């Protein structure tokens, strides 16, 4: 079974631009979560989607948004990029999404904002 | 505010030694505590997890110890190997409220041959 696929792997953007990241979950997984990973901060929860509905949202500004499609694929968008948005963005899928089912992470998209 | 606090930030252990990573939490509503292992260039992968109704769980060389009254849990890696060199994250979640996990800040483990 194919794992979680995130595209692109690397992205360089300029302050003020916007960016869209893509995530294809493991087949059959309906829960997709997004995390921001930065040195010293660990993984910070952005949001979670289940069957196209956002169920949970972390403490990030409204510039961060996402969506999930009917095939469970998900996209994350960041508008008006700031230098502090430079990070590794991880997508994780889960079969049940009940809070005790394992998260299966992709290898992330490394975003650099200059 | 970091809901799960993890220490140490980095750890160096000799091959064959015991690696111990500690985590503490405040929210008593948490009822699932996994540990994730991350190698450079890869996403984290689930290593082992525990529910608060047990005090210890062992899988091979990896053991989670859980102290509910102290709101602390720890990962013990017995007979540490160079292949265990990675970053380890503890996490916590609440059951049946969706799939939101709160992660610690990570521990970089280096096992010296």
């Amino acid at each position: 079974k194919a794992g979680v696929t995130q595209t692109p792997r690397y992205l360089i953007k300029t302050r003020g631009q916007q960016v869209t990241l893509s995530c294809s979950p493991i087949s059959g997984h309906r829960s997709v979560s997004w995390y921001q990973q930065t040195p010293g901060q660990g993984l910070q929860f952005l949001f979670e989607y289940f069957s196209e509905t956002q169920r949970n949202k972390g403490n990030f500004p409204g510039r961060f948004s996402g969506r999930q499609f009917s095939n469970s694929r998900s996209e994350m968008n960041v508008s008006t990029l700031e230098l502090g948005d430079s990070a590794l963005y991880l997508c994780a899928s889960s079969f049940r999404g009940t809070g005790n089912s394992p998260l299966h992470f992709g290898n992330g998209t490394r975003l650099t904002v200059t | 505010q970091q809901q799960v606090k993890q220490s140490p930030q980095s750890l160096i252990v000799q091959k064959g030694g015991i690696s111990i990573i500690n985590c503490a939490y405040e929210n008593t509503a948490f009822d699932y505590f996994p540990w994730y292992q991350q190698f450079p260039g890869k996403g984290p992968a689930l290593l082992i997890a525990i529910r608060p109704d047990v005090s210890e769980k062992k899988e091979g060389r990896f053991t989670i110890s859980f102290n509910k009254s102290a709101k602390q849990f720890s990962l013990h890696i017995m007979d540490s190997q160079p292949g265990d060199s990675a970053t380890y994250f503890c996490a916590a979640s609440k059951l049946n409220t969706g799939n939101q996990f709160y992660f610690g800040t990570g521990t970089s483990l280096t096992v010296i041959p």
Side-chain angles (χ1 to χ4, degrees):
Chain A
K1 207 178 228 185
V4 176
T5 304
Q6 290 188 246
T7 56
R9 283 299 306 274
Y10 302 93
L11 210 46
I12 300 175
K13 290 287 188 179
T14 304
R15 228 173 358 171
Q17 288 186 315
Q18 75 164 23
V19 66
T20 299
L21 282 53
S22 181
C23 173
S24 293
I26 291 173
S27 178
H29 286 194
R30 291 193 292 166
S31 168
V32 175
S33 308
W34 289 88
Y35 288 83
Q36 181 193 66
Q37 183 175 8
T38 54
Q41 291 293 315
L43 281 73
Q44 301 288 317
F45 175 79
L46 282 154
F47 28 66
E48 184 225 356
Y49 288 87
F50 187 88
S51 295
E52 301 180 67
T53 300
Q54 186 181 87
R55 288 202 300 189
N56 290 291
K57 190 175 192 306
N59 190 24
F60 278 83
R63 300 184 296 106
F64 292 80
S65 63
R67 59 178 177 169
Q68 186 181 33
F69 302 95
S70 58
N71 61 357
S72 290
R73 192 177 69 84
S74 178
E75 286 182 349
M76 187 191 113
N77 185 275
V78 188
S79 63
T80 319
L81 284 165
E82 300 178 0
L83 294 178
D85 297 334
S86 295
L88 180 68
Y89 290 88
L90 292 162
C91 168
S93 74
S94 175
F95 178 63
R96 288 192 304 272
T98 52
N100 65 342
S101 53
L103 294 176
H104 297 266
F105 284 92
N107 291 330
T109 294
R110 172 75 60 185
L111 172 65
T112 301
V113 182
T114 62
Chain B
Q1 183 186 1
Q2 199 72 30
Q3 297 218 22
V4 178
K5 295 181 180 177
Q6 183 172 349
S7 63
Q9 186 174 351
S10 62
L11 185 60
I12 299 175
V13 172
Q14 293 276 358
K15 178 183 175 181
I18 302 173
S19 303
I20 301 174
I21 304 170
N22 301 299
C23 285
Y25 64 98
E26 285 298 323
N27 192 337
T28 56
F30 289 147
D31 50 14
Y32 180 68
F33 301 89
W35 284 87
Y36 283 81
Q37 179 188 55
Q38 184 179 30
F39 292 105
K42 301 291 187 181
L46 179 66
L47 192 60
I48 186 173
I50 197 168
R51 293 286 309 278
D53 50 351
V54 297
S55 59
E56 186 175 282
K57 182 173 181 180
K58 184 176 180 179
E59 289 184 4
R61 296 184 293 109
F62 300 91
T63 300
I64 299 179
S65 297
F66 189 86
N67 186 328
K68 189 174 181 178
S69 59
K71 291 184 285 186
Q72 295 175 347
F73 58 111
S74 59
L75 175 69
H76 295 238
I77 305 174
M78 312 300 287
D79 187 27
S80 298
Q81 299 296 313
D84 297 330
S85 297
T87 300
Y88 293 81
F89 293 94
C90 60
S93 68
K94 306 171 212 175
L95 291 182
N96 301 318
T97 58
N99 225 26
Q100 179 172 358
F101 285 79
Y102 299 85
F103 282 83
T105 50
T107 296
S108 176
L109 171 66
T110 302
V111 181
I112 300 171

